[in-house]
Amino acid sequence: MDTKGKFIVFEGTDGSGKSTQMKMLFKYLAGRGVSCFCTREPTDSPFGALLRSCLTGRVEADEHTIAAMFAADRLDHINNGVNGIKKKLSEGETVLCDRYYYSSLAYNGGFVSLDWVAELNRPAMEALRPDLVIYIDLPPEDGMKRVARRGETDRYETIEKQKKIHDNYMEVFSRFGKGENVVTVKSENDKGFTQEHIRKAVDKLFGF
């Protein structure tokens, strides 16, 4: 009997609501008796902390450096022996992850060579592919309105960059998503409606 947990990734542009939807799914799965572990990228590790400082501008770094740091943070995220994704899955936990390598391809790959970013992330792709990728689709204009309400932005949170990243997601799913279980869910004004569509895909994955 396979006791390995499921690996579910949430993707989307900034303001799409993926973090909120992931928390809602966690509660739903817990209610179904599924043991879950929530995580995110950048991680809370020293790699991720430095990366967050770069994204907010507290530490200066160019796009190539940031792309390489994301790839390094991701490999540690997968393989860390204390709380890495592989370890959690092997212990039977279902891992819900806010962003994974598709974020690097869509974000970093929009501002430096996409092929180069893909090569950086190939070790992660070969090490661990998700059982389900949930892409929450929201027009960039609407996403930036939500971001503006937070009062703090990072290096990617401009309308021009978000439009480019939104388009890039479509390209990277086409190029790199073959054979993967990628489901696009429209971000509704009613969070509950969005969650219903997500649960349908998750129920299918678990066979509920």
Side-chain angles (χ1 to χ4, degrees):
M1 180 178 172
D2 184 10
T3 58
K4 185 172 175 286
K6 304 291 187 184
F7 182 30
I8 302 173
V9 169
F10 283 77
E11 291 284 358
T13 52
D14 292 274
S16 60
K18 57 187 173 45
S19 302
T20 297
Q21 291 297 329
M22 189 175 85
K23 292 174 184 175
M24 292 172 71
L25 182 64
F26 175 86
K27 291 180 180 179
Y28 170 71
L29 288 175
R32 299 297 301 257
V34 178
S35 179
C36 293
F37 175 74
C38 287
T39 187
R40 64 176 181 171
E41 294 186 354
T43 67
D44 294 324
S45 74
F47 296 102
L50 177 57
L51 190 45
R52 289 179 191 280
S53 294
C54 294
L55 294 177
T56 56
R58 290 192 293 271
V59 174
E60 183 67 29
D62 70 5
E63 197 65 35
H64 287 87
T65 302
I66 287 175
M69 290 173 66
F70 264 113
D73 185 42
R74 184 163 297 120
L75 285 174
D76 179 66
H77 196 195
I78 293 168
N79 297 311
N80 189 290
V82 176
N83 59 0
I85 298 172
K86 278 189 172 180
K87 184 174 188 295
K88 293 294 183 180
L89 292 172
S90 70
E91 292 171 346
E93 291 202 66
T94 283
V95 175
L96 308 182
C97 188
D98 185 345
R99 299 201 179 283
Y100 197 47
Y101 53 69
Y102 280 117
S103 282
S104 281
L105 296 170
Y107 279 71
N108 305 132
F111 305 100
V112 297
S113 167
L114 175 56
D115 289 334
W116 182 76
V117 176
E119 282 304 310
L120 277 179
N121 284 276
R122 193 163 304 282
M125 294 179 188
E126 293 174 350
L128 183 62
R129 290 188 178 269
D131 295 296
L132 174 64
V133 179
I134 299 168
Y135 173 69
I136 302 182
D137 192 18
L138 180 72
E141 294 84 356
D142 295 339
M144 284 307 298
K145 288 177 184 177
R146 295 179 181 179
V147 168
R149 290 197 288 267
R150 296 203 305 251
E152 183 178 357
T153 59
D154 69 25
R155 68 185 286 137
Y156 299 113
E157 291 175 338
T158 68
I159 188 61
E160 294 79 11
K161 288 183 177 180
Q162 287 294 302
K163 285 180 177 178
K164 185 172 183 58
I165 291 163
H166 184 271
D167 292 342
N168 287 351
Y169 263 115
M170 300 303 101
E171 180 182 353
V172 300
F173 286 139
S174 176
R175 284 188 57 183
F176 302 98
K178 292 180 177 62
E180 292 203 19
N181 187 12
V182 180
V183 174
T184 297
V185 174
K186 182 181 177 182
S187 181
E188 306 277 1
N189 289 329
D190 187 320
K191 297 174 185 176
F193 287 160
T194 307
Q195 180 68 194
E196 283 181 20
H197 293 300
I198 291 171
R199 289 179 183 179
K200 286 179 182 177
V202 172
D203 286 353
K204 184 176 179 181
L205 177 66
F206 281 91
F208 289 155

